[in-house]
């Protein structure tokens, strides 16, 4: 059994994905899932080659190909250039809209209808009805060949019917006569149908639906951004040592066995083994650990992690697709492909509505002929039936509510990726939270300050800051930041990697570091109360630093990641929404439980790797839960993609943001509840829009079938339903955040802006 991923082309709706999936699953030994949102198929095949799988997809009328491996060299080009498919759709939309505006103006304002105006309207509308609506016509033809009817079918039939009747009226009826004017009558006059044209209907329907498809395509094409963001995390260059000389080379040229130098502040270029030096490595992007890991000769390090301590030499052991970063990228891709398929609301409704409307139109045509009515009468009734059901407002229902909802969300610092996100917000019952950077600030800070007898707190902090000032370690920076006054000068600074630091401050030899180091190396006695305090701090996930000078312990500092001020309130709000919070972190058990207790979370899962985070999400889903995941690190990216709803904190990595469905720009956890409320409100508006989009048209279907509805009135009803849908969507502008978040709303000017609350 082998796993094969295929990139699928030509899908226009969720039913296309279903049809391809069924086609593949008919092959013996094949189990396939097709994701419309990511345009990918994940196939498990036993004894079936890739060529046979591609042939099966192509026989269904679509394209399939093996995905090309992403290349780091062209990441920027891919990310910055507009996708050709999206660009073509945008061009089709803009050209169609420019041609449609004068057609609509001429058709709806009798005073502007000069002699032979209808022929100008035909010249402008023809490219829209043919070229502008070509994607719908083509998709409808493909669907028809496979015995299916979708949204594209109704759009295509409606456009062709309106445009076709207009051609008939112009060339064979009275509409082409000089001096012709459009009239409007509430009471239908089917016999006069050949004197009316409906070019504005065919054009407007095309433009409105193209606008909706463009919004959808923009959101859908961003699904591959997670992998591009992962590539951006890695180092681009490495310092290679050859024959004692250092050379700057591209990371892609490294091979196992190469030795590279990594200085403080540089990223480790690839997975390897330290062969020289000691340092501290910030691996939070992979492990979620807030505190950098001490490394020395023999320690294994992963590519893209950050060296925050001293100079080290790394022997490369894995490169390219074998690295931990590449493996994480595959986890994200697999999680995205394995998402449950989103059946778009409009497609679900149109799957039933389309064939019914077409059937009713045929019934109306045949019934009038059988009762002795003229061919013109019967055809007019049939056309009116089609036009009244044409989905103009349906095309606006989703994008208008989405645009207003996401626009309001942007003002509040909430980014909603697309309409496919909204359905899950109403169903979720469990919210899984990463700890570092999500519930906590992600920044080290001094918490407990315990001076011993004869030492003041201010003196202890000042001496500790002076000795730590020479270190680049994040813990040292936290100590320096806590100093109540200007940092004193220190001489003869010396760092002991993994243990502590020493320096001369005002003639005193000051040492700061682990209690065991001070006791064993400096022979400084550690009393039982001090040891108990150290043990308790470490059990809470804090780092205890003992400060001593003149051969005597003077005090103790505890440094740890700090809980955001708003996190307890955020957890309460999530519970109020009916959600069960779960803390899932790569940190140790003590740190995880301490944070969980502080914010009010009962279910705590610690020591989680990126793979085990993904497994935890899938296990919760297997247990019947609908899961939202909130995180900010690369180590959360796969879990964010696999969750039913992924929520990224805006202060986090690009990979996490790209893999998520919703991004909270401020990084404030309390805004997550507002994001869920806004998403649910937007979904409710979309559902209301869809209902009313059909209600106006469906209510008029019997009138149209009876021949009492002028097709122009059908167009007016359609326009009125569109106005209603837009007005209903604008109500989302009145959405208000919760009170705690309202006082700290960030202005949205980019994902780089954050408004984290850091506890010092």
């Amino acid at each position: 059994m082998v796993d094969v991923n295929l990139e699928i082309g030509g899908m226009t709706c969720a039913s296309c994905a279903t049809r391809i999936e069924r086609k593949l699953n008919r092959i013996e030994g094949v189990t396939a899932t097709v994701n419309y949102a990511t345009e990918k198929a994940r196939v498990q095949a036993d004894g079936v080659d890739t060529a046979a799988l591609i042939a099966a997809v192509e026989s269904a009328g679509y394209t399939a190909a093996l995905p090309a491996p992403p290349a780091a060299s062209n990441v920027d080009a891919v990310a910055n250039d507009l996708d050709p498919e999206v660009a073509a759709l945008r061009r089709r939309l803009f050209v169609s809209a420019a041609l449609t505006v004068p057609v609509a103006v001429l058709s709806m304002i009798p005073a502007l209808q000069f002699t032979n105006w209808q022929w100008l309207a035909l010249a402008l509308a023809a490219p829209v009805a043919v070229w502008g609506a070509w994607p719908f016509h083509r998709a409808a033809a493909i669907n028809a060949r496979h015995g299916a009817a979708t949204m594209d079918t109704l759009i295509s039939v409606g456009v062709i019917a309106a445009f076709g009747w207009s051609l008939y009226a112009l060339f064979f009826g009275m509409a082409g006569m000089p001096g012709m004017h459009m009239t409007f009558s509430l009471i239908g006059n089917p016999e006069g149908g050949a004197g009316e044209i409906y070019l504005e209907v065919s054009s407007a329907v095309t433009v409105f639906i193209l606008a909706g498809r463009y919004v959808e395509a923009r959101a859908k094409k961003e699904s591959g951004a997670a992998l591009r963001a992962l590539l951006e995390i890695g180092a681009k260059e490495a310092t290679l040592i050859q024959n004692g000389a250092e050379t700057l080379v591209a990371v892609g040229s490294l091979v196992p066995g190469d030795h590279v130098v990594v200085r403080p502040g540089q990223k480790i270029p690839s997975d390897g083994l330290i062969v020289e030096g000691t340092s501290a490595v910030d691996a939070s992007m992979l492990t979620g650990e807030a505190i950098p890991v001490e490394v020395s000769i023999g320690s294994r390090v992963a590519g893209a992690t950050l060296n925050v301590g001293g100079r080290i030499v790394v022997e490369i052991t894995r490169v390219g697709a074998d690295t931990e970063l590449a493996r994480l990228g595959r986890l994200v891709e697999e999680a995205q492909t394995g998402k449950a398929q989103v059946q778009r609301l409009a497609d679900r409704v149109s799957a039933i509505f389309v064939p019914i409307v077409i059937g009713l139109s045929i019934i109306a045509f045949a019934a009038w002929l059988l009762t002795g009515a003229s061919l013109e009468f019967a055809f007019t009734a049939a056309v009116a039936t089609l036009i009244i059901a044409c989905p103009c407002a349906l095309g606006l229902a989703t994008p208008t509510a989405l645009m207003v909802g996401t626009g309001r969300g942007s003002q509040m610092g909430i980014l909603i990726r697309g309409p496919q996100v909204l359905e899950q917000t109403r169903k979720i019952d469990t919210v899984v939270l990463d700890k570092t950077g999500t519930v906590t600030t992600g920044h080290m800070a001094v918490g407990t300050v315990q001076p011993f007898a004869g030492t003041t707190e201010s003196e202890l902090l000042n001496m500790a800051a002076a000795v730590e000032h020479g270190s680049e370690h994040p813990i040292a920076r936290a100590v320096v930041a806590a100093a109540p006054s200007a940092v004193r000068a220190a001489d003869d600074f010396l760092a002991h990697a993994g243990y502590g630091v020493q320096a001369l401050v005002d003639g005193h030899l000051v040492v700061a570091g682990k209690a065991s180091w001070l006791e064993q190396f400096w022979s400084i006695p550690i009393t039982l109360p001090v040891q108990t305090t150290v043990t308790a701090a470490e059990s809470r996930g804090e780092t205890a630093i003992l400060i001593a000078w003149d051969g005597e312990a003077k005090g103790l500092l505890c440094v740890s990641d700090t809980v955001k001020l708003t996190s307890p309130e955020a957890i309460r709000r999530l519970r109020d929404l009916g959600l069960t919070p779960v803390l899932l972190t790569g940190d140790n058990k003590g740190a995880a439980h301490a944070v969980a207790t502080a914010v009010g979370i009962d279910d705590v899962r610690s020591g989680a790797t990126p793979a085990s985070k993904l497994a935890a999400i899938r296990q919760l889903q297997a247990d019947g839960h609908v899961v939202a995941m909130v995180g900010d690190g690369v180590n959360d990216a796969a879990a964010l993609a696999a969750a039913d709803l992924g929520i990224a904190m805006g202060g986090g990595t690009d990979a996490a943001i790209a893999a998520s469905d919703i991004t909270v720009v401020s990084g404030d956890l309390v805004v997550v509840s507002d994001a869920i409320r806004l998403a649910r409100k937007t979904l409710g508006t979309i559902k209301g829009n869809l209902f009313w989009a059909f209600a106006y048209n469906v209510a008029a279907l019997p009138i149209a079938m009876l021949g009492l509805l002028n097709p122009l009135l059908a167009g007016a009803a359609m326009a009125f339903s569109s106005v209603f849908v837009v007005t209903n969507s604008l109500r989302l502008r009145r959405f208000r955040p919760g009170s705690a978040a309202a006082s700290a709303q960030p202005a949205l000017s980019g994902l780089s802006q954050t408004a984290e609350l850091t506890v010092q």
Side-chain angles (χ1 to χ4, degrees):
M1 185 72 70
V2 295
D3 283 344
V4 179
N5 289 320
L6 297 176
E7 292 183 347
I8 307 297
M11 293 191 295
T12 59
C13 62
S15 60
C16 296
T18 302
R19 188 155 57 250
I20 297 170
E21 191 172 291
R22 289 174 180 170
K23 190 79 172 180
L24 289 170
N25 285 328
R26 288 195 188 104
I27 303 174
E28 187 175 354
V30 170
T31 303
T33 57
V34 180
N35 192 311
Y36 168 58
T38 60
E39 297 183 324
K40 290 181 180 179
R42 187 179 182 187
V43 186
Q44 291 182 319
D46 187 5
V48 181
D49 60 16
T50 304
L53 299 174
I54 293 176
V57 175
E58 291 176 344
S59 69
Y62 305 91
T63 63
L66 290 172
S73 59
N74 64 4
V75 167
D76 292 334
V78 173
N80 294 330
D81 291 347
L82 189 63
D83 184 271
E85 181 181 340
V86 177
L89 184 56
R90 183 177 66 175
R91 183 169 57 253
R92 192 181 299 270
L93 169 62
F94 287 174
V95 172
S96 298
L99 294 173
T100 296
V101 170
V103 174
V105 170
L106 286 172
S107 300
M108 296 299 182
I109 305 177
L112 299 179
Q113 294 172 0
F114 54 86
T115 303
N116 291 322
W117 69 271
Q118 65 270 40
W119 297 105
L120 173 61
L122 175 63
L124 294 173
V128 180
V130 178
W131 174 79
W134 180 250
F136 312 130
H137 300 325
R138 180 180 178 276
I142 294 174
N143 292 330
R145 285 203 303 269
H146 293 86
T150 65
M151 179 92 164
D152 292 308
T153 306
L154 191 55
I155 297 168
S156 179
V157 170
V159 170
I160 291 173
F163 187 71
W165 178 258
S166 299
L167 291 178
Y168 170 78
L170 284 168
F171 288 98
F172 302 103
M174 303 298 293
M177 300 295 292
M180 174 267 189
H181 288 278
M182 294 279 284
T183 58
F184 183 82
S185 173
L186 293 176
I187 305 300
N189 181 21
E191 290 85 351
E196 301 284 358
I197 57 175
Y198 315 111
L199 296 173
E200 79 287 357
V201 174
S202 63
S203 301
V205 167
T206 300
V207 170
F208 284 135
I209 305 302
L210 281 175
R213 289 289 172 88
Y214 175 66
V215 172
E216 175 184 348
R218 284 291 300 269
K220 201 168 67 173
K221 286 300 177 184
E222 291 176 1
S223 61
L227 297 182
R228 294 198 295 269
L230 283 173
L231 287 175
E232 282 292 282
I233 290 170
K236 301 297 184 295
E237 295 178 323
T239 305
L240 179 66
I241 300 179
Q242 288 181 319
N243 301 321
E246 296 183 3
T247 308
L248 198 63
V249 299
V251 169
S253 66
L254 295 176
V255 297
D258 283 344
H259 285 201
V260 296
V261 176
V262 186
R263 292 181 170 82
Q266 293 181 337
K267 292 181 179 179
I268 296 171
S270 193
D271 295 4
L273 196 69
I274 295 180
V275 295
E276 180 184 326
T278 58
S279 183
V281 173
D282 181 0
S284 60
M285 52 82 66
L286 286 178
T287 66
E289 290 278 358
I291 301 174
V293 179
E294 305 291 345
V295 294
S296 57
I297 295 175
S299 299
R300 293 193 176 276
V301 289
T305 55
L306 184 66
N307 179 19
V308 296
R311 175 186 181 275
I312 55 176
V313 176
V314 178
E315 179 182 342
I316 301 300
T317 57
R318 291 185 294 185
V319 296
D322 297 327
T323 63
E324 186 71 14
L325 184 63
R327 187 180 70 84
L328 184 56
R330 288 193 294 273
L331 284 174
V332 173
E333 185 172 18
E334 290 172 5
Q336 286 182 328
T337 304
K339 267 191 174 181
Q341 297 181 44
V342 179
Q343 295 293 325
R344 299 295 299 274
L345 296 175
D347 279 312
R348 288 207 295 267
V349 175
S350 64
I352 302 173
F353 186 70
V354 172
I356 289 177
V357 169
I358 294 174
L360 291 175
S361 178
I362 294 172
I363 290 172
F365 180 76
W368 281 114
L369 287 180
L370 291 174
T371 57
S374 66
L375 176 63
E376 187 175 281
F377 192 116
F379 190 71
T380 302
V383 170
T385 302
L386 281 174
I387 292 177
I388 193 63
C390 208
C392 180
L394 180 62
L396 287 171
T398 295
T400 54
L402 183 67
M403 287 177 184
V404 178
T406 54
R408 180 67 186 117
S410 296
Q411 296 173 343
M412 297 165 54
I414 300 167
L415 303 181
I416 301 174
R417 181 172 295 273
Q420 69 276 9
V421 171
L422 304 175
E423 291 183 83
Q424 297 301 330
T425 60
R426 183 161 292 182
K427 303 173 185 175
I428 58 173
D429 55 35
T430 303
V431 57
V432 177
L433 303 159
D434 173 51
K435 181 183 75 69
T436 306
T438 301
V439 178
T440 65
T441 63
H443 303 296
M444 305 300 293
V446 173
T448 303
V449 179
Q450 184 178 338
F452 299 158
T455 307
T456 65
E457 180 176 317
S458 175
E459 183 182 12
L460 178 66
L461 286 171
N462 284 329
M463 292 295 273
V467 71
E468 293 280 14
H469 189 258
S471 174
E472 297 178 346
H473 199 287
I475 290 179
R477 291 197 292 268
V479 173
V480 172
S485 57
V487 178
R488 303 177 189 175
D491 300 315
D492 299 332
F493 172 83
L494 182 62
H496 301 265
Y499 298 101
V501 294
Q502 67 180 78
L504 286 174
V505 181
D506 295 339
H508 301 277
L509 177 60
V510 183
V511 293
K514 294 182 177 179
S516 58
W517 178 60
L518 268 69
E519 184 176 38
Q520 296 170 13
F521 189 82
W522 296 97
S523 300
I524 295 176
I526 307 298
T527 63
L528 182 59
V530 172
Q531 186 58 54
T532 301
T533 303
V534 170
T535 302
E538 292 176 346
S539 69
R540 297 191 301 269
E542 299 177 347
T543 298
I545 304 171
L546 194 64
I547 315 298
W549 61 85
D550 297 337
E552 182 182 354
K554 300 293 186 178
L556 185 70
L557 304 179
C558 293
V559 179
S560 66
D561 191 9
T562 52
V563 174
K564 294 178 181 178
L565 287 175
T566 56
S567 290
E569 171 66 12
I571 300 303
R572 185 191 65 78
R573 292 189 182 198
L574 291 173
R575 290 187 185 277
D576 289 344
L577 289 173
L579 306 177
T580 301
V582 177
L583 188 66
L584 181 64
T585 177
D587 261 354
N588 61 67
K589 184 176 180 180
H593 280 274
V595 170
T597 301
V599 300
I601 297 178
D602 301 323
D603 191 344
V604 184
R605 308 181 187 196
S606 57
T609 63
S612 59
K613 283 189 176 187
L614 176 59
I617 295 294
R618 286 179 169 163
Q619 182 59 52
L620 285 167
Q621 291 170 329
D623 293 340
H625 297 287
V626 182
V627 182
M629 171 70 190
V630 185
D632 74 326
V634 177
N635 60 309
D636 302 318
L640 285 166
D644 299 286
L645 180 70
I647 304 175
M649 309 303 278
T653 64
D654 290 341
I657 292 170
S660 67
D661 301 309
I662 295 175
T663 299
V664 175
V665 178
S666 68
D668 188 355
L669 186 60
V670 80
V671 184
V672 170
S673 60
D674 291 326
I676 294 173
R677 287 175 50 239
L678 176 61
R680 288 179 174 179
K681 183 72 172 177
T682 305
L683 175 63
T685 301
I686 289 175
K687 288 186 174 182
N689 285 350
L690 289 172
F691 172 79
W692 288 110
F694 280 105
Y696 286 110
N697 298 0
V698 171
L701 274 174
I703 303 175
M705 292 179 66
L706 291 173
L708 300 176
L709 181 63
N710 190 317
L712 189 60
L713 181 60
M718 181 178 61
F720 181 71
S721 64
S722 299
V723 172
F724 180 90
V725 162
V726 172
T727 304
N728 190 46
S729 297
L730 290 175
R731 293 170 57 243
L732 287 169
R733 297 169 63 180
R734 298 200 295 266
F735 179 87
R736 293 290 180 266
S739 57
S743 60
Q745 286 184 28
L748 178 63
S749 63
L751 289 180
S752 60
Q753 275 196 320
T754 60
E756 283 186 338
L757 298 173
T758 305
V759 185
Q760 295 294 342

